[in-house]
Amino acid sequence: MINFNGTIVSQDANILTQNRAFLYGDAVFETVKIINNKILFLEDHYFRLMASMRVVRMEIPMNFNMEYFEEQILSIIKINQLERSSRARITVYRNDGGYYLPLNNTISFLIHTIALENTSYSVDQNEYEVDLYKDFYVTKQLLSSIKTTNKIINITGSIYASENGLDNCILLNDSKNVVEALQGNIFMVLGNKLITPPISEGCLNGVMRKQILGLAKKIENLEVVEEIISPFDLQKADELFITNVIKGIQPITKYRKKEFKTKFAYELIEKLNDSIAAV
């Protein structure tokens, strides 16, 4: 028997009592965007998930290839009639058993879906204000670059942003350098340079980050670099924007007392939509 919210019930009545994702955050996940029954950036998502599973020493089933990954996501998309535009999250967790030391490294997975409005990426034209979140810091290590279900920094940071009337917050690492935003990677435009922190600083190895770097490197007279960004550097920037697979590009219009342009973000979103249409 267990006590669930003050009621004594059978342990069998609650599936969370042995679930390692719930008990220990022993899980990794991917969030993908589907447009017209196609998973965007399928290969990048699949290989990042496989890399994440290897990092945390999960056993990858022999049948868990990219075709299986795609088939499992699209099957539930079809059942839910969300082929036009939707997001799906696949969470892979180690199976029940053990405490910190698992009894085995086999896995199960869960996929759930949500409808989206648009079939292409667009830029939000509303004001978007951010500030630093300094209550907790991201560590510069490999685990910070993968998507695990331990997102307590992002959660507390989101609460802080809400309490202070902010749209987002910028996370710092243990060297007090800029890492990323709460919901995506961060980019800075300074003159003819596009800068984003390197993965070694502790930022997520973002799928949209990879697409933006690739598109930007094709733009003439633009230097694209991965280098350390300090909080002071942000106030010198011409533009700041955040990237993730669901939103695409989110321009930052205000950081502290400085307001920013959004011209380059609009140019990039057009190139991003063109690249998707061309595939």
Side-chain angles (χ1 to χ4, degrees), residues 54-72:
R54 290 189 182 99
V55 167
V56 298
R57 291 175 167 77
M58 289 178 174
E59 184 179 310
I60 302 174
M62 290 295 292
N63 69 328
F64 210 122
N65 54 32
M66 189 160 65
E67 290 72 22
Y68 181 81
F69 175 77
E70 180 181 31
E71 175 188 311
Q72 295 304 308

Side-chain angles (χ1 to χ4, degrees), residues 10 16 44 48 51 57 79 112 124-125 131 140 143 154 183 189 200 206 229 254 265 270 272 276:
S10 168
L16 297 179
D44 291 328
R48 185 172 68 172
R57 291 175 167 77
I79 289 171
H112 63 278
D124 187 345
Q125 298 184 19
D131 205 340
K140 292 190 290 184
L143 281 176
N154 304 70
Q183 297 95 6
V189 180
S200 58
I229 298 174
K254 187 177 182 181
E270 287 184 14
L272 178 62
I276 293 168

Side-chain angles (χ1 to χ4, degrees), residues 12-29:
D12 296 337
N14 192 312
I15 63 172
L16 297 179
T17 56
Q18 295 295 318
N19 185 283
R20 295 188 60 86
F22 170 72
L23 295 174
Y24 305 113
D26 190 3
V28 295
F29 71 97

Side-chain angles (χ1 to χ4, degrees), residues 87-140:
R87 63 185 287 170
R89 169 172 161 155
I90 177 169
T91 304
V92 179
Y93 56 95
R94 212 180 315 259
N95 284 329
D96 298 350
Y99 297 99
Y100 286 153
L101 177 63
L103 294 183
N104 64 77
N105 292 312
T106 61
I107 60 97
S108 295
F109 65 85
L110 171 69
I111 303 173
H112 63 278
T113 61
I114 300 173
L116 296 175
E117 290 184 10
N118 301 321
T119 56
S120 61
Y121 288 110
S122 60
V123 174
D124 187 345
Q125 298 184 19
N126 296 322
E127 290 185 357
Y128 199 87
E129 183 177 356
V130 306
D131 205 340
L132 302 178
Y133 180 59
K134 297 187 289 186
D135 287 359
F136 305 105
Y137 298 96
V138 177
T139 54
K140 292 190 290 184

Side-chain angles (χ1 to χ4, degrees), residues 27-275:
V28 295
F29 71 97
E30 284 290 317
T31 303
V32 302
K33 186 168 185 173
I34 296 94
I35 293 178
N36 296 325
N37 204 39
K38 179 181 178 181
I39 301 172
L40 301 186
F41 323 120
L42 169 64
E43 187 173 291
D44 291 328
H45 281 293
Y46 172 75
F47 284 114
R48 185 172 68 172
L49 180 61
M50 294 300 102
S52 298
M53 292 171 70
R54 290 189 182 99
V55 167
V56 298
R57 291 175 167 77
M58 289 178 174
E59 184 179 310
I60 302 174
M62 290 295 292
N63 69 328
F64 210 122
N65 54 32
M66 189 160 65
E67 290 72 22
Y68 181 81
F69 175 77
E70 180 181 31
E71 175 188 311
Q72 295 304 308
I73 293 174
L74 293 183
S75 64
I76 192 63
I77 290 293
K78 183 177 181 180
I79 289 171
N80 290 332
Q81 299 181 340
L82 297 175
E83 296 99 323
R84 178 181 173 272
S85 184
S86 56
R87 63 185 287 170
R89 169 172 161 155
I90 177 169
T91 304
V92 179
Y93 56 95
R94 212 180 315 259
N95 284 329
D96 298 350
Y99 297 99
Y100 286 153
L101 177 63
L103 294 183
N104 64 77
N105 292 312
T106 61
I107 60 97
S108 295
F109 65 85
L110 171 69
I111 303 173
H112 63 278
T113 61
I114 300 173
L116 296 175
E117 290 184 10
N118 301 321
T119 56
S120 61
Y121 288 110
S122 60
V123 174
D124 187 345
Q125 298 184 19
N126 296 322
E127 290 185 357
Y128 199 87
E129 183 177 356
V130 306
D131 205 340
L132 302 178
Y133 180 59
K134 297 187 289 186
D135 287 359
F136 305 105
Y137 298 96
V138 177
T139 54
K140 292 190 290 184
Q141 60 168 332
L142 182 60
L143 281 176
S144 298
S145 71
I146 66 176
K147 300 191 78 168
T148 71
T149 51
N150 183 354
K151 292 294 183 182
I152 200 69
I153 293 179
N154 304 70
I155 292 165
T156 56
S158 296
I159 295 169
Y160 173 87
S162 177
E163 290 175 344
N164 289 276
L166 301 168
D167 296 291
N168 210 321
C169 279
I170 296 170
L171 298 173
L172 304 176
N173 62 23
D174 38 16
S175 296
K176 309 300 187 292
N177 292 320
V178 171
V179 178
E180 58 196 2
L182 294 170
Q183 297 95 6
N185 294 104
I186 190 165
F187 285 79
M188 178 175 82
V189 180
L190 182 61
N192 68 336
K193 287 179 68 173
L194 179 65
I195 309 166
T196 194
I199 300 299
S200 58
E201 284 297 287
C203 66
L204 180 70
N205 188 11
V207 168
M208 184 54 70
R209 176 185 184 276
K210 179 181 178 181
Q211 314 309 315
I212 296 303
L213 286 172
L215 290 171
K217 288 175 181 176
K218 297 176 183 178
I219 299 174
E220 290 186 9
N221 301 318
L222 179 68
E223 182 183 359
V224 181
V225 296
E226 297 177 51
E227 63 184 31
I228 292 172
I229 298 174
S230 73
F232 178 72
D233 292 332
L234 297 175
Q235 293 181 306
K236 298 187 293 184
D238 299 311
E239 287 192 39
L240 296 172
F241 59 85
I242 300 164
T243 64
N244 65 50
V245 162
I246 302 303
K247 177 63 182 177
I249 297 173
Q250 173 60 62
I252 293 171
T253 62
K254 187 177 182 181
Y255 166 66
R256 300 200 164 171
K257 294 183 179 181
K258 179 162 182 179
E259 297 186 357
F260 298 93
K261 304 173 185 176
T262 58
K263 181 175 179 291
F264 186 71
Y266 277 87
E267 292 177 6
L268 268 181
I269 209 85
E270 287 184 14
K271 294 181 180 297
L272 178 62
N273 283 327
D274 288 345
S275 69

